[in-house]
Amino acid sequence: QVQVVESGGGLVQPGGSLRLSCAASGRKFSHDSMNWGWYRQAPGKQRELVASMTSGGSTNYADSAKGRFTISRDIAENTVYLQMTNLNAEDTAVYYCHLRVVVTTIEGSNDMNYWGKGTLVTVSS
C-alpha cells in the first residue's frame, strides 16, 4: 500500500511564503516512474492543477502559479515540495498532492494514482 502525505499548510499573511511537502511511503518505486502533481481546491470551486513534475523532471505550472510557485523533488526521500511565494487571498485552498506511477513491464503498462488527504493553506491578514 502507498501513502501520500502532505504537510506544511497553515495561515500566512498576504505577500508571505509557504513551503508544502509531500512524502510517499510504502511500496517502493523507481524515481523514473514517479510523476508528481500539486492540486488545490478552494471553497465552492473545482480542484485545479497548480504545478506538476514528470518523472524526467519537466515541470508545468498553472498561469496563476507561474513566477510565484516552484515545484521540486528529493528523489532519495520520495518527497516533492511546493514553494509558494507572494501569496494572496486567491491562493487560499486545500492543497493536494498527487502521485502517478507508471510501471512498464513485459506484460504491459500499469498506471497507478495516489492522492493525499490535503493540507489547508489560508492566506489572510
Side-chain angles (χ1 to χ4, degrees):
Q1 191 64 284
V2 175
Q3 292 81 41
V4 175
V5 179
E6 306 96 337
S7 61
L11 175 64
V12 61
Q13 292 187 339
S17 299
L18 211 57
R19 188 176 83 153
L20 306 182
S21 301
C22 172
S25 62
R27 184 177 171 184
K28 298 291 186 182
F29 297 108
S30 171
H31 75 272
D32 59 7
S33 66
M34 301 172 73
N35 303 274
W36 298 91
W38 282 100
Y39 291 73
R40 68 184 182 187
Q41 187 166 18
K45 295 188 176 181
Q46 289 188 333
R47 190 174 298 190
E48 62 176 358
L49 178 66
V50 176
S52 63
M53 177 178 281
T54 68
S55 58
S58 298
T59 58
N60 184 54
Y61 296 91
D63 287 343
S64 60
K66 288 178 181 176
R68 299 188 302 128
F69 294 3
T70 302
I71 186 170
S72 62
R73 65 182 175 180
D74 184 330
I75 291 174
E77 297 295 326
N78 277 345
T79 299
V80 68
Y81 304 96
L82 185 68
Q83 178 68 48
M84 304 185 293
T85 63
N86 195 21
L87 288 161
N88 56 63
E90 287 69 42
D91 296 315
T92 295
V94 177
Y95 284 71
Y96 297 92
C97 180
H98 175 246
L99 170 61
R100 179 185 178 217
V101 180
V102 181
V103 178
T104 300
T105 68
I106 207 169
E107 297 175 349
S109 182
N110 194 9
D111 193 327
M112 297 164 279
N113 290 273
Y114 305 97
W115 287 92
K117 293 183 178 180
T119 184
L120 176 63
V121 172
T122 303
V123 184
S124 176
S125 55

